[in-house]
Amino acid sequence: MQHFVNEYEYTPDILKESVGTWWDCKFKAGYCSMFVVFLLIAVLSTVMKRPVLLLLELAPLFIIALFWLRKKKAIQIEQERVGTLFRNSDLSYRVEVGEDISVTSSNGNHRIQFSDVENYIETRNLIILFVKGSMTLALDKKGFREGTKEAFLSLLADTIK
């Protein structure tokens, strides 16, 4: 089995990208369905020649705004949590991947089984693992000390179905 080591500082930017991506994935179906409802209302109002129906377009827009606000609040809560737990100290992560995943931080050491990783996504700066229990584990693409980002993505593609 290949061995990977990824180290990085858990900065506010990484926090926002990681938590925001998790919420975007969680609400993906909701965003898509609200977009479809929005389009259906527009088509229906045109076909029925009832422009007043366009007022119903506010409902899916309102729901999308609620999704966005919930995501923003989740990021804020995570920032407060990290600020409370790690006052005046940097939060750094060392993630070692071999037979399982070992995560070492200022918060201690944790192990995650590969079978607990449900999915992953690649963002601009991160590889985010979605772990059972609505958890995420971010790895900074620039943080690989052993192994490469490409080899790690290949391992994920082969391992997570």
Side-chain angles (χ1 to χ4, degrees):
M1 177 124 216
Q2 296 174 318
H3 189 258
F4 299 91
V5 175
N6 187 277
E7 297 176 334
Y8 64 94
E9 295 293 320
Y10 194 62
T11 63
D13 289 338
I14 287 178
L15 182 151
K16 286 178 187 174
E17 189 172 339
S18 176
V19 174
T21 299
W22 185 86
W23 280 94
D24 285 344
C25 288
K26 180 176 179 163
F27 290 135
K28 186 177 185 178
Y31 285 126
C32 291
S33 62
M34 288 302 103
F35 180 71
V36 168
V37 168
F38 185 85
L39 289 176
L40 286 174
I41 292 170
V43 168
L44 187 62
S45 105
T46 303
V47 169
M48 294 178 67
K49 297 181 182 177
R50 306 240 178 188
V52 75
L53 289 177
L54 290 177
L55 289 174
L56 293 175
E57 300 252 291
L58 295 175
L61 293 178
F62 178 74
I63 293 170
I64 288 171
L66 286 177
F67 290 160
W68 181 81
L69 288 172
R70 193 158 180 203
K71 172 181 143 181
K72 187 175 177 179
K73 182 67 175 172
I75 291 169
Q76 180 185 11
I77 289 169
E78 179 70 2
Q79 288 170 328
E80 289 172 3
R81 187 181 71 80
V82 169
T84 300
L85 291 174
F86 303 100
R87 281 191 207 284
N88 302 321
S89 65
D90 293 332
L91 176 55
S92 59
Y93 277 94
R94 177 181 173 88
V95 180
E96 292 187 52
V97 179
E99 292 296 321
D100 62 0
I101 303 168
S102 173
V103 182
T104 306
S105 71
S106 317
N107 204 17
N109 188 22
H110 304 282
R111 292 208 174 275
I112 300 169
Q113 299 298 315
F114 256 108
S115 59
D116 291 333
V117 178
E118 297 175 329
N119 204 352
Y120 69 95
I121 191 167
E122 182 179 5
T123 65
R124 189 167 52 93
N125 300 303
L126 304 173
I127 299 168
I128 303 170
L129 306 180
F130 297 110
V131 183
K132 287 181 182 173
S134 296
M135 295 184 293
T136 61
L137 174 61
L139 289 87
D140 190 331
K141 288 181 180 179
K142 296 176 188 167
F144 283 94
R145 304 293 177 248
E146 270 185 56
T148 65
K149 168 190 77 152
E150 293 79 13
F152 184 66
L153 287 168
S154 177
L155 172 70
L156 290 174
D158 292 343
T159 307
I160 300 169
K161 305 291 180 192

